[in-house]
Amino acid sequence: MSQTSPALLVQEIGEQGLLNRLQAFCPADVVGDDAAVLTVRNDRSLVVTSDVLVDKVHFSDQTTSPEDAGWRAIAANLSDLAAMGAFPLGITVGLGLPGTVKVEWVERLYQGMVACLTQYGGAIVGGDICRSSVITIAITAFGQVHPDRVIRRSTAKPGDAILVTGVHGASCAGLELLLHPEQGQTLDSAERIALIHAHQRPKPRLDLLPILQRLTGAKHSFPISGMDSSDGLADAVLQICRASGVGASIDRHQIPIPSVFKHWLSPAQALEWALYGGEDFELVLCLPIALAQIVVQELAGAAIVGEIVVEPEVLLVDSTGQQADEVLSLDRGFQHF
Amino acid sequence: MSQTSPALLVQEIGEQGLLNRLQAFCPADVVGDDAAVLTVRNDRSLVVTSDVLVDKVHFSDQTTSPEDAGWRAIAANLSDLAAMGAFPLGITVGLGLPGTVKVEWVERLYQGMVACLTQYGGAIVGGDICRSSVITIAITAFGQVHPDRVIRRSTAKPGDAILVTGVHGASCAGLELLLHPEQGQTLDSAERIALIHAHQRPKPRLDLLPILQRLTGAKHSFPISGMDSSDGLADAVLQICRASGVGASIDRHQIPIPSVFKHWLSPAQALEWALYGGEDFELVLCLPIALAQIVVQELAGAAIVGEIVVEPEVLLVDSTGQQADEVLSLDRGFQHF
């Protein structure tokens, strides 16, 4: 791709000019028709998920470079695929752009998208560009999964262990440090950068899928339910319980949090961010305890945080007996309007 | 679905409240997970296309009811599927909404979408809603096609007939009547309504696909190329010729136009709208003349408008010999920025 003048605006090259430049980010064989043609394996179902991201709501130049905005947009959608047990096939990108956006900004956005796709699988197979008063990024991701290996929210069973694939609260902490750099004076530079990186470059947990495939490959049934924690760990557990008609007991001391929280935050604040911070894009799975224990051994950072119970309530319990049980609810999460 | 108060605003019920209401428009079995699971037939390829529509750019309350905006958004995407030879499987809808939009407006938008899907196939299988300063509708449509029956732009051959599935210019005329009601004084009320309807309720030409399947079913090769005329007939012919490395000769007298143009517009104005008006969502196909003649017999309104030639230029010719040949170019079409 040719070097782009940093001053060049979208309105100077028009829709077609921009499309021509962005085609450099797509595989050559999908460009140039009304739609892209993809191959789904014969024995696989198609999985489809969508996100719409808007400037100043979901990203902003204050906290997010265009490369990071692109990475995050893709990572969020690949995380939804991972949460269904599906491997990525491709994505489409719809862009609404003010004419005064710099062409370089759009190209850097695509560089971030392609960086994430290159690492985790899939390619940009289509899209649309149009004029808008606000930068809008609409992503649709497609994946494929064996129809008997779909991870759903609605099949959690009492007695299942609740497993998370990694720490919670890091993304929220990273955003806080970006918005309020005066915060976290007890953190050293590497610790700050690690938390900010967790916010800017979240990892979709597709690495879990081959492990699950191997561990369940010989079984006739697939005893795993779950979703991702994009809207927070509390939200994920509550959504799974609601969809499955069950409850859960979560041990506050078993939730993995960044180790640096201990010399920065109060335990209450650390727990708040871990439960309600959101955007950690880990997976929250409900599965038989024996299987969960094997996953914990094989996947660094994974932890069993609780258990599915019959009573349809999500309780935060204290295994040390020092604090009273708390009932978790969605009310402490946020709504987008 | 319960009756919605016309005054209720999106910000009063929030993202989750709106999602709950909109789930009534989706099949029950696709709601409630991180992503939708769809089945693609074993012997079919997946076809994917996307569009982004923005308030005041692609639709406006002045010319488009929310039902019509919904219908048009779906019809445009199903037309892209038809242009690839693909039958619809489903769509996702991403919405960016100001909090001050009425809930009823969004529900009417979805009613228009579902009306189009019910008529032509497919269902809303997923989506996303977020806050935005401008109403934004991002559609991604999925279809399936036999891999040997994909209609591409790049395979037109000299000697092919150029066939259109219907009249061109009607959508542009309908928009003109909506924007400038004082226009078209020579038209009677039914004629006005028909043109406005062509703009508000375009028909994706999926009805052509079973005819093509039947006519080519026994053949080893699939000798059909083409695209839809969403950006105008001239654009479609030019794009096909560019992608195929060929040229075309179009007979200005063979282009089907609404009959009412004759007692309203000058021949030059009628031709301008037919070639450059856009949004008629007909198909423009290049295929052997014998096959084209059968299609014309079977599909009411279809017409052969010209021929693919070796010389890479698109000429507008006059079979009556009265007017000189003209070279068509994309410069008279419009750019979105």
Side-chain angles (χ1 to χ4, degrees), chain A residues 15 32-36 38 42 46-50 52 84 92 128 131 140 142 153 227 336, chain B residues 15 32-36 38 42 46-50 52 84 92 128 131 140 142 153 227 336-337:
Chain A
E15 182 188 14
D33 266 303
D34 296 77
L38 301 176
N42 276 356
L46 173 68
V47 174
V48 180
T49 183
S50 285
V52 182
M84 300 294 290
T92 60
D128 187 30
R131 179 159 53 88
T140 301
F142 326 101
R153 300 181 184 181
M227 61 181 284
H336 291 304
Chain B
E15 182 188 12
D33 266 304
D34 296 77
L38 301 176
N42 275 355
L46 174 67
V47 174
V48 180
T49 182
S50 286
V52 182
M84 300 294 291
T92 60
D128 187 30
R131 178 160 54 90
T140 301
F142 329 102
R153 300 181 183 181
M227 59 181 284
H336 292 303
F337 284 105

mmCIF file of all heavy atoms in Angstrom, chain A residues 15 32-36 38 42 46-50 52 84 92 128 131 140 142 153 227 336, chain B residues 15 32-36 38 42 46-50 52 84 92 128 131 140 142 153 227 336-337:
data_model
loop_
_atom_site.group_PDB
_atom_site.id
_atom_site.type_symbol
_atom_site.label_atom_id
_atom_site.label_comp_id
_atom_site.label_asym_id
_atom_site.label_seq_id
_atom_site.Cartn_x
_atom_site.Cartn_y
_atom_site.Cartn_z
ATOM 1 N N GLU A 15 -15.969 8.050 -1.670
ATOM 2 C CA GLU A 15 -16.265 6.680 -1.240
ATOM 3 C C GLU A 15 -15.463 5.664 -2.040
ATOM 4 O O GLU A 15 -14.854 4.753 -1.482
ATOM 5 C CB GLU A 15 -17.768 6.427 -1.425
ATOM 6 C CG GLU A 15 -18.218 5.065 -0.977
ATOM 7 C CD GLU A 15 -19.674 4.797 -1.369
ATOM 8 O OE1 GLU A 15 -20.227 5.548 -2.206
ATOM 9 O OE2 GLU A 15 -20.236 3.832 -0.849
ATOM 10 N N GLY A 32 -14.837 -7.216 -5.151
ATOM 11 C CA GLY A 32 -15.295 -6.911 -6.490
ATOM 12 C C GLY A 32 -16.650 -7.427 -6.893
ATOM 13 O O GLY A 32 -17.054 -7.219 -8.019
ATOM 14 N N ASP A 33 -17.390 -8.063 -6.004
ATOM 15 C CA ASP A 33 -18.755 -8.451 -6.338
ATOM 16 C C ASP A 33 -19.732 -7.816 -5.353
ATOM 17 O O ASP A 33 -19.323 -7.128 -4.422
ATOM 18 C CB ASP A 33 -18.878 -9.987 -6.362
ATOM 19 C CG ASP A 33 -18.679 -10.555 -7.768
ATOM 20 O OD1 ASP A 33 -19.419 -10.135 -8.664
ATOM 21 O OD2 ASP A 33 -17.785 -11.399 -7.942
ATOM 22 N N ASP A 34 -21.035 -8.047 -5.585
ATOM 23 C CA ASP A 34 -22.042 -7.485 -4.697
ATOM 24 C C ASP A 34 -21.950 -8.073 -3.302
ATOM 25 O O ASP A 34 -22.421 -7.483 -2.343
ATOM 26 C CB ASP A 34 -23.449 -7.762 -5.252
ATOM 27 C CG ASP A 34 -23.685 -7.076 -6.581
ATOM 28 O OD1 ASP A 34 -23.182 -7.559 -7.608
ATOM 29 O OD2 ASP A 34 -24.341 -6.043 -6.579
ATOM 30 N N ALA A 35 -21.359 -9.245 -3.196
ATOM 31 C CA ALA A 35 -21.274 -9.932 -1.911
ATOM 32 C C ALA A 35 -20.084 -10.878 -1.952
ATOM 33 O O ALA A 35 -19.564 -11.195 -3.021
ATOM 34 C CB ALA A 35 -22.573 -10.708 -1.648
ATOM 35 N N ALA A 36 -19.658 -11.312 -0.765
ATOM 36 C CA ALA A 36 -18.540 -12.246 -0.664
ATOM 37 C C ALA A 36 -19.071 -13.671 -0.616
ATOM 38 O O ALA A 36 -20.153 -13.923 -0.089
ATOM 39 C CB ALA A 36 -17.733 -11.960 0.598
ATOM 40 N N LEU A 38 -18.214 -17.425 0.797
ATOM 41 C CA LEU A 38 -17.393 -18.134 1.777
ATOM 42 C C LEU A 38 -17.790 -19.606 1.816
ATOM 43 O O LEU A 38 -18.918 -19.960 1.474
ATOM 44 C CB LEU A 38 -17.596 -17.553 3.182
ATOM 45 C CG LEU A 38 -17.283 -16.072 3.383
ATOM 46 C CD1 LEU A 38 -17.632 -15.655 4.804
ATOM 47 C CD2 LEU A 38 -15.803 -15.824 3.127
ATOM 48 N N ASN A 42 -18.809 -28.784 5.588
ATOM 49 C CA ASN A 42 -20.049 -29.544 5.461
ATOM 50 C C ASN A 42 -20.682 -29.906 6.797
ATOM 51 O O ASN A 42 -21.897 -29.923 6.929
ATOM 52 C CB ASN A 42 -19.780 -30.840 4.696
ATOM 53 C CG ASN A 42 -19.832 -30.606 3.207
ATOM 54 O OD1 ASN A 42 -20.153 -29.489 2.781
ATOM 55 N ND2 ASN A 42 -19.524 -31.610 2.433
ATOM 56 N N LEU A 46 -23.231 -22.438 10.853
ATOM 57 C CA LEU A 46 -22.764 -21.062 10.741
ATOM 58 C C LEU A 46 -23.157 -20.300 12.006
ATOM 59 O O LEU A 46 -24.284 -20.418 12.474
ATOM 60 C CB LEU A 46 -23.425 -20.414 9.521
ATOM 61 C CG LEU A 46 -23.199 -18.929 9.305
ATOM 62 C CD1 LEU A 46 -21.741 -18.649 8.939
ATOM 63 C CD2 LEU A 46 -24.124 -18.422 8.195
ATOM 64 N N VAL A 47 -22.221 -19.521 12.548
ATOM 65 C CA VAL A 47 -22.496 -18.684 13.717
ATOM 66 C C VAL A 47 -22.276 -17.230 13.318
ATOM 67 O O VAL A 47 -21.276 -16.901 12.673
ATOM 68 C CB VAL A 47 -21.578 -19.068 14.894
ATOM 69 C CG1 VAL A 47 -21.751 -18.099 16.055
ATOM 70 C CG2 VAL A 47 -21.855 -20.488 15.342
ATOM 71 N N VAL A 48 -23.229 -16.374 13.682
ATOM 72 C CA VAL A 48 -23.206 -14.982 13.236
ATOM 73 C C VAL A 48 -23.409 -14.053 14.427
ATOM 74 O O VAL A 48 -24.301 -14.284 15.240
ATOM 75 C CB VAL A 48 -24.336 -14.718 12.219
ATOM 76 C CG1 VAL A 48 -24.310 -13.279 11.754
ATOM 77 C CG2 VAL A 48 -24.218 -15.655 11.029
ATOM 78 N N THR A 49 -22.599 -13.007 14.527
ATOM 79 C CA THR A 49 -22.754 -12.032 15.601
ATOM 80 C C THR A 49 -22.433 -10.633 15.089
ATOM 81 O O THR A 49 -21.657 -10.477 14.154
ATOM 82 C CB THR A 49 -21.860 -12.398 16.805
ATOM 83 O OG1 THR A 49 -22.090 -11.462 17.850
ATOM 84 C CG2 THR A 49 -20.388 -12.374 16.424
ATOM 85 N N SER A 50 -23.048 -9.611 15.691
ATOM 86 C CA SER A 50 -22.905 -8.225 15.224
ATOM 87 C C SER A 50 -22.649 -7.274 16.365
ATOM 88 O O SER A 50 -23.129 -7.484 17.475
ATOM 89 C CB SER A 50 -24.206 -7.761 14.561
ATOM 90 O OG SER A 50 -24.368 -8.315 13.307
ATOM 91 N N VAL A 52 -22.256 -2.770 16.932
ATOM 92 C CA VAL A 52 -22.158 -1.412 16.407
ATOM 93 C C VAL A 52 -21.402 -0.572 17.420
ATOM 94 O O VAL A 52 -21.733 -0.574 18.608
ATOM 95 C CB VAL A 52 -23.552 -0.793 16.161
ATOM 96 C CG1 VAL A 52 -23.407 0.609 15.573
ATOM 97 C CG2 VAL A 52 -24.376 -1.667 15.236
ATOM 98 N N MET A 84 -19.535 -18.986 21.692
ATOM 99 C CA MET A 84 -20.446 -19.984 21.113
ATOM 100 C C MET A 84 -19.705 -21.272 20.761
ATOM 101 O O MET A 84 -20.299 -22.214 20.231
ATOM 102 C CB MET A 84 -21.092 -19.427 19.839
ATOM 103 C CG MET A 84 -21.911 -18.171 20.022
ATOM 104 S SD MET A 84 -23.391 -18.418 21.042
ATOM 105 C CE MET A 84 -24.418 -19.419 19.958
ATOM 106 N N THR A 92 -17.515 -8.713 8.178
ATOM 107 C CA THR A 92 -17.790 -7.551 7.331
ATOM 108 C C THR A 92 -17.711 -6.298 8.195
ATOM 109 O O THR A 92 -17.995 -6.342 9.395
ATOM 110 C CB THR A 92 -19.180 -7.612 6.680
ATOM 111 O OG1 THR A 92 -20.176 -7.661 7.703
ATOM 112 C CG2 THR A 92 -19.321 -8.837 5.793
ATOM 113 N N ASP A 128 -19.160 -1.871 3.779
ATOM 114 C CA ASP A 128 -19.818 -0.740 3.143
ATOM 115 C C ASP A 128 -19.277 0.521 3.813
ATOM 116 O O ASP A 128 -18.887 0.492 4.984
ATOM 117 C CB ASP A 128 -21.340 -0.844 3.342
ATOM 118 C CG ASP A 128 -22.106 0.207 2.554
ATOM 119 O OD1 ASP A 128 -21.614 0.621 1.489
ATOM 120 O OD2 ASP A 128 -23.195 0.613 3.003
ATOM 121 N N ARG A 131 -21.357 8.152 4.250
ATOM 122 C CA ARG A 131 -21.221 9.408 4.961
ATOM 123 C C ARG A 131 -22.088 9.395 6.213
ATOM 124 O O ARG A 131 -23.196 8.891 6.206
ATOM 125 C CB ARG A 131 -21.670 10.540 4.020
ATOM 126 C CG ARG A 131 -21.632 11.907 4.587
ATOM 127 C CD ARG A 131 -21.593 12.940 3.462
ATOM 128 N NE ARG A 131 -22.667 12.777 2.479
ATOM 129 C CZ ARG A 131 -23.874 13.329 2.568
ATOM 130 N NH1 ARG A 131 -24.177 14.075 3.613
ATOM 131 N NH2 ARG A 131 -24.784 13.149 1.634
ATOM 132 N N THR A 140 -19.898 -7.382 11.588
ATOM 133 C CA THR A 140 -20.579 -8.672 11.688
ATOM 134 C C THR A 140 -19.527 -9.754 11.480
ATOM 135 O O THR A 140 -18.741 -9.676 10.537
ATOM 136 C CB THR A 140 -21.711 -8.792 10.651
ATOM 137 O OG1 THR A 140 -22.648 -7.739 10.871
ATOM 138 C CG2 THR A 140 -22.447 -10.126 10.801
ATOM 139 N N PHE A 142 -18.583 -13.989 11.300
ATOM 140 C CA PHE A 142 -19.100 -15.323 11.005
ATOM 141 C C PHE A 142 -18.100 -16.348 11.463
ATOM 142 O O PHE A 142 -16.899 -16.175 11.252
ATOM 143 C CB PHE A 142 -19.304 -15.527 9.499
ATOM 144 C CG PHE A 142 -19.726 -14.289 8.828
ATOM 145 C CD1 PHE A 142 -18.809 -13.540 8.121
ATOM 146 C CD2 PHE A 142 -21.013 -13.834 8.974
ATOM 147 C CE1 PHE A 142 -19.190 -12.355 7.554
ATOM 148 C CE2 PHE A 142 -21.398 -12.648 8.407
ATOM 149 C CZ PHE A 142 -20.490 -11.905 7.689
ATOM 150 N N ARG A 153 -26.041 -20.436 26.500
ATOM 151 C CA ARG A 153 -26.230 -19.913 27.853
ATOM 152 C C ARG A 153 -27.240 -20.731 28.641
ATOM 153 O O ARG A 153 -27.272 -20.651 29.873
ATOM 154 C CB ARG A 153 -26.766 -18.474 27.786
ATOM 155 C CG ARG A 153 -25.867 -17.513 27.077
ATOM 156 C CD ARG A 153 -26.484 -16.116 27.079
ATOM 157 N NE ARG A 153 -25.647 -15.213 26.299
ATOM 158 C CZ ARG A 153 -25.898 -13.924 26.124
ATOM 159 N NH1 ARG A 153 -26.982 -13.379 26.677
ATOM 160 N NH2 ARG A 153 -25.102 -13.169 25.409
ATOM 161 N N MET A 227 -20.872 -18.098 28.284
ATOM 162 C CA MET A 227 -20.856 -16.902 27.434
ATOM 163 C C MET A 227 -19.568 -16.146 27.738
ATOM 164 O O MET A 227 -18.750 -16.599 28.540
ATOM 165 C CB MET A 227 -22.088 -16.032 27.667
ATOM 166 C CG MET A 227 -22.256 -15.500 29.072
ATOM 167 S SD MET A 227 -23.759 -14.483 29.269
ATOM 168 C CE MET A 227 -23.269 -12.935 28.484
ATOM 169 N N HIS A 336 -26.781 1.226 28.073
ATOM 170 C CA HIS A 336 -26.132 2.096 27.087
ATOM 171 C C HIS A 336 -26.921 3.360 26.738
ATOM 172 O O HIS A 336 -26.399 4.235 26.078
ATOM 173 C CB HIS A 336 -25.809 1.324 25.816
ATOM 174 C CG HIS A 336 -24.733 0.303 26.015
ATOM 175 N ND1 HIS A 336 -23.491 0.620 26.506
ATOM 176 C CD2 HIS A 336 -24.713 -1.035 25.804
ATOM 177 C CE1 HIS A 336 -22.748 -0.471 26.568
ATOM 178 N NE2 HIS A 336 -23.470 -1.487 26.161
ATOM 179 N N GLU B 15 -31.506 0.205 26.553
ATOM 180 C CA GLU B 15 -31.080 -0.760 25.542
ATOM 181 C C GLU B 15 -31.761 -2.107 25.739
ATOM 182 O O GLU B 15 -32.278 -2.708 24.801
ATOM 183 C CB GLU B 15 -29.555 -0.919 25.634
ATOM 184 C CG GLU B 15 -28.971 -1.858 24.610
ATOM 185 C CD GLU B 15 -27.488 -2.142 24.874
ATOM 186 O OE1 GLU B 15 -26.991 -1.800 25.970
ATOM 187 O OE2 GLU B 15 -26.851 -2.699 23.998
ATOM 188 N N GLY B 32 -31.072 -14.929 22.411
ATOM 189 C CA GLY B 32 -30.617 -15.235 23.753
ATOM 190 C C GLY B 32 -29.205 -15.747 23.908
ATOM 191 O O GLY B 32 -28.802 -16.071 25.007
ATOM 192 N N ASP B 33 -28.416 -15.840 22.840
ATOM 193 C CA ASP B 33 -27.015 -16.218 22.983
ATOM 194 C C ASP B 33 -26.124 -15.094 22.450
ATOM 195 O O ASP B 33 -26.611 -14.081 21.944
ATOM 196 C CB ASP B 33 -26.742 -17.553 22.272
ATOM 197 C CG ASP B 33 -26.867 -18.739 23.226
ATOM 198 O OD1 ASP B 33 -26.165 -18.727 24.247
ATOM 199 O OD2 ASP B 33 -27.681 -19.636 22.963
ATOM 200 N N ASP B 34 -24.806 -15.288 22.567
ATOM 201 C CA ASP B 34 -23.874 -14.284 22.067
ATOM 202 C C ASP B 34 -23.948 -14.152 20.550
ATOM 203 O O ASP B 34 -23.532 -13.148 19.991
ATOM 204 C CB ASP B 34 -22.444 -14.654 22.464
ATOM 205 C CG ASP B 34 -22.249 -14.646 23.969
ATOM 206 O OD1 ASP B 34 -22.681 -15.599 24.635
ATOM 207 O OD2 ASP B 34 -21.692 -13.680 24.475
ATOM 208 N N ALA B 35 -24.424 -15.184 19.883
ATOM 209 C CA ALA B 35 -24.471 -15.188 18.429
ATOM 210 C C ALA B 35 -25.562 -16.146 17.985
ATOM 211 O O ALA B 35 -26.030 -16.975 18.764
ATOM 212 C CB ALA B 35 -23.110 -15.629 17.866
ATOM 213 N N ALA B 36 -25.992 -16.011 16.733
ATOM 214 C CA ALA B 36 -27.015 -16.896 16.185
ATOM 215 C C ALA B 36 -26.354 -18.066 15.473
ATOM 216 O O ALA B 36 -25.268 -17.927 14.915
ATOM 217 C CB ALA B 36 -27.884 -16.121 15.199
ATOM 218 N N LEU B 38 -26.882 -20.784 12.452
ATOM 219 C CA LEU B 38 -27.662 -21.021 11.245
ATOM 220 C C LEU B 38 -27.128 -22.259 10.525
ATOM 221 O O LEU B 38 -25.964 -22.620 10.671
ATOM 222 C CB LEU B 38 -27.556 -19.833 10.282
ATOM 223 C CG LEU B 38 -28.025 -18.476 10.797
ATOM 224 C CD1 LEU B 38 -27.746 -17.404 9.747
ATOM 225 C CD2 LEU B 38 -29.515 -18.522 11.090
ATOM 226 N N ASN B 42 -25.340 -28.416 2.916
ATOM 227 C CA ASN B 42 -24.028 -29.032 2.695
ATOM 228 C C ASN B 42 -23.401 -28.667 1.357
ATOM 229 O O ASN B 42 -22.195 -28.511 1.253
ATOM 230 C CB ASN B 42 -24.152 -30.557 2.759
ATOM 231 C CG ASN B 42 -24.077 -31.050 4.184
ATOM 232 O OD1 ASN B 42 -23.834 -30.250 5.089
ATOM 233 N ND2 ASN B 42 -24.289 -32.327 4.380
ATOM 234 N N LEU B 46 -21.663 -19.977 1.347
ATOM 235 C CA LEU B 46 -22.259 -18.864 2.080
ATOM 236 C C LEU B 46 -21.971 -17.566 1.327
ATOM 237 O O LEU B 46 -20.848 -17.340 0.882
ATOM 238 C CB LEU B 46 -21.629 -18.807 3.474
ATOM 239 C CG LEU B 46 -21.991 -17.635 4.368
ATOM 240 C CD1 LEU B 46 -23.456 -17.704 4.769
ATOM 241 C CD2 LEU B 46 -21.093 -17.621 5.601
ATOM 242 N N VAL B 47 -22.994 -16.719 1.187
ATOM 243 C CA VAL B 47 -22.822 -15.409 0.557
ATOM 244 C C VAL B 47 -23.162 -14.338 1.588
ATOM 245 O O VAL B 47 -24.167 -14.457 2.290
ATOM 246 C CB VAL B 47 -23.728 -15.269 -0.686
ATOM 247 C CG1 VAL B 47 -23.653 -13.874 -1.259
ATOM 248 C CG2 VAL B 47 -23.326 -16.298 -1.737
ATOM 249 N N VAL B 48 -22.319 -13.331 1.701
ATOM 250 C CA VAL B 48 -22.460 -12.315 2.741
ATOM 251 C C VAL B 48 -22.368 -10.925 2.133
ATOM 252 O O VAL B 48 -21.464 -10.650 1.337
ATOM 253 C CB VAL B 48 -21.335 -12.467 3.787
ATOM 254 C CG1 VAL B 48 -21.476 -11.413 4.868
ATOM 255 C CG2 VAL B 48 -21.342 -13.850 4.393
ATOM 256 N N THR B 49 -23.275 -10.034 2.516
ATOM 257 C CA THR B 49 -23.237 -8.656 2.028
ATOM 258 C C THR B 49 -23.678 -7.698 3.126
ATOM 259 O O THR B 49 -24.439 -8.082 4.009
ATOM 260 C CB THR B 49 -24.118 -8.495 0.769
ATOM 261 O OG1 THR B 49 -24.012 -7.158 0.292
ATOM 262 C CG2 THR B 49 -25.581 -8.800 1.072
ATOM 263 N N SER B 50 -23.179 -6.461 3.086
ATOM 264 C CA SER B 50 -23.440 -5.475 4.142
ATOM 265 C C SER B 50 -23.818 -4.118 3.574
ATOM 266 O O SER B 50 -23.350 -3.735 2.515
ATOM 267 C CB SER B 50 -22.174 -5.244 4.980
ATOM 268 O OG SER B 50 -21.933 -6.322 5.818
ATOM 269 N N VAL B 52 -24.647 0.058 5.190
ATOM 270 C CA VAL B 52 -24.857 0.997 6.285
ATOM 271 C C VAL B 52 -25.720 2.140 5.767
ATOM 272 O O VAL B 52 -25.412 2.728 4.728
ATOM 273 C CB VAL B 52 -23.530 1.555 6.823
ATOM 274 C CG1 VAL B 52 -23.794 2.492 7.992
ATOM 275 C CG2 VAL B 52 -22.606 0.434 7.254
ATOM 276 N N MET B 84 -25.896 -12.202 -6.694
ATOM 277 C CA MET B 84 -24.881 -13.259 -6.625
ATOM 278 C C MET B 84 -25.493 -14.627 -6.938
ATOM 279 O O MET B 84 -24.804 -15.646 -6.910
ATOM 280 C CB MET B 84 -24.264 -13.322 -5.227
ATOM 281 C CG MET B 84 -23.573 -12.056 -4.769
ATOM 282 S SD MET B 84 -22.101 -11.659 -5.733
ATOM 283 C CE MET B 84 -20.973 -12.967 -5.223
ATOM 284 N N THR B 92 -28.604 -9.729 10.007
ATOM 285 C CA THR B 92 -28.416 -9.089 11.302
ATOM 286 C C THR B 92 -28.640 -7.589 11.122
ATOM 287 O O THR B 92 -28.390 -7.031 10.049
ATOM 288 C CB THR B 92 -27.014 -9.312 11.877
ATOM 289 O OG1 THR B 92 -26.045 -8.776 10.975
ATOM 290 C CG2 THR B 92 -26.739 -10.786 12.100
ATOM 291 N N ASP B 128 -27.513 -5.643 17.132
ATOM 292 C CA ASP B 128 -26.952 -4.893 18.242
ATOM 293 C C ASP B 128 -27.624 -3.525 18.224
ATOM 294 O O ASP B 128 -28.030 -3.034 17.176
ATOM 295 C CB ASP B 128 -25.436 -4.749 18.058
ATOM 296 C CG ASP B 128 -24.747 -4.132 19.269
ATOM 297 O OD1 ASP B 128 -25.245 -4.319 20.397
ATOM 298 O OD2 ASP B 128 -23.723 -3.455 19.086
ATOM 299 N N ARG B 131 -26.262 3.571 21.482
ATOM 300 C CA ARG B 131 -26.537 4.993 21.460
ATOM 301 C C ARG B 131 -25.702 5.651 20.374
ATOM 302 O O ARG B 131 -24.539 5.328 20.177
ATOM 303 C CB ARG B 131 -26.187 5.575 22.827
ATOM 304 C CG ARG B 131 -26.360 7.043 22.984
ATOM 305 C CD ARG B 131 -26.460 7.404 24.469
ATOM 306 N NE ARG B 131 -25.342 6.891 25.266
ATOM 307 C CZ ARG B 131 -24.203 7.563 25.477
ATOM 308 N NH1 ARG B 131 -24.015 8.739 24.927
ATOM 309 N NH2 ARG B 131 -23.257 7.055 26.229
ATOM 310 N N THR B 140 -26.437 -6.728 7.678
ATOM 311 C CA THR B 140 -25.633 -7.744 6.999
ATOM 312 C C THR B 140 -26.565 -8.895 6.645
ATOM 313 O O THR B 140 -27.346 -9.346 7.492
ATOM 314 C CB THR B 140 -24.475 -8.245 7.879
ATOM 315 O OG1 THR B 140 -23.650 -7.115 8.210
ATOM 316 C CG2 THR B 140 -23.623 -9.265 7.157
ATOM 317 N N PHE B 142 -27.101 -12.775 4.801
ATOM 318 C CA PHE B 142 -26.441 -14.040 4.441
ATOM 319 C C PHE B 142 -27.360 -14.815 3.530
ATOM 320 O O PHE B 142 -28.560 -14.869 3.759
ATOM 321 C CB PHE B 142 -26.184 -14.921 5.666
ATOM 322 C CG PHE B 142 -25.942 -14.120 6.883
ATOM 323 C CD1 PHE B 142 -26.934 -13.966 7.827
ATOM 324 C CD2 PHE B 142 -24.749 -13.450 7.037
ATOM 325 C CE1 PHE B 142 -26.729 -13.171 8.922
ATOM 326 C CE2 PHE B 142 -24.533 -12.661 8.127
ATOM 327 C CZ PHE B 142 -25.520 -12.515 9.075
ATOM 328 N N ARG B 153 -19.372 -10.624 -11.431
ATOM 329 C CA ARG B 153 -19.271 -9.508 -12.369
ATOM 330 C C ARG B 153 -18.197 -9.753 -13.426
ATOM 331 O O ARG B 153 -18.201 -9.096 -14.467
ATOM 332 C CB ARG B 153 -18.867 -8.229 -11.618
ATOM 333 C CG ARG B 153 -19.835 -7.811 -10.563
ATOM 334 C CD ARG B 153 -19.353 -6.525 -9.887
ATOM 335 N NE ARG B 153 -20.267 -6.171 -8.810
ATOM 336 C CZ ARG B 153 -20.133 -5.102 -8.046
ATOM 337 N NH1 ARG B 153 -19.103 -4.273 -8.230
ATOM 338 N NH2 ARG B 153 -21.003 -4.839 -7.097
ATOM 339 N N MET B 227 -24.776 -8.185 -12.064
ATOM 340 C CA MET B 227 -24.886 -7.555 -10.747
ATOM 341 C C MET B 227 -26.241 -6.865 -10.689
ATOM 342 O O MET B 227 -27.030 -6.964 -11.629
ATOM 343 C CB MET B 227 -23.744 -6.565 -10.502
ATOM 344 C CG MET B 227 -23.655 -5.429 -11.497
ATOM 345 S SD MET B 227 -22.251 -4.295 -11.158
ATOM 346 C CE MET B 227 -22.870 -3.356 -9.743
ATOM 347 N N HIS B 336 -20.760 9.236 -2.601
ATOM 348 C CA HIS B 336 -21.472 9.473 -1.336
ATOM 349 C C HIS B 336 -20.799 10.482 -0.413
ATOM 350 O O HIS B 336 -21.394 10.873 0.570
ATOM 351 C CB HIS B 336 -21.707 8.162 -0.604
ATOM 352 C CG HIS B 336 -22.691 7.275 -1.314
ATOM 353 N ND1 HIS B 336 -23.961 7.677 -1.613
ATOM 354 C CD2 HIS B 336 -22.578 6.017 -1.798
ATOM 355 C CE1 HIS B 336 -24.602 6.701 -2.228
ATOM 356 N NE2 HIS B 336 -23.783 5.685 -2.368
ATOM 357 N N PHE B 337 -19.553 10.848 -0.682
ATOM 358 C CA PHE B 337 -18.938 11.856 0.197
ATOM 359 C C PHE B 337 -18.982 13.227 -0.457
ATOM 360 O O PHE B 337 -18.802 13.363 -1.641
ATOM 361 C CB PHE B 337 -17.484 11.494 0.529
ATOM 362 C CG PHE B 337 -17.391 10.393 1.536
ATOM 363 C CD1 PHE B 337 -17.032 9.121 1.149
ATOM 364 C CD2 PHE B 337 -17.694 10.619 2.866
ATOM 365 C CE1 PHE B 337 -16.959 8.096 2.069
ATOM 366 C CE2 PHE B 337 -17.623 9.612 3.797
ATOM 367 C CZ PHE B 337 -17.258 8.339 3.384
#
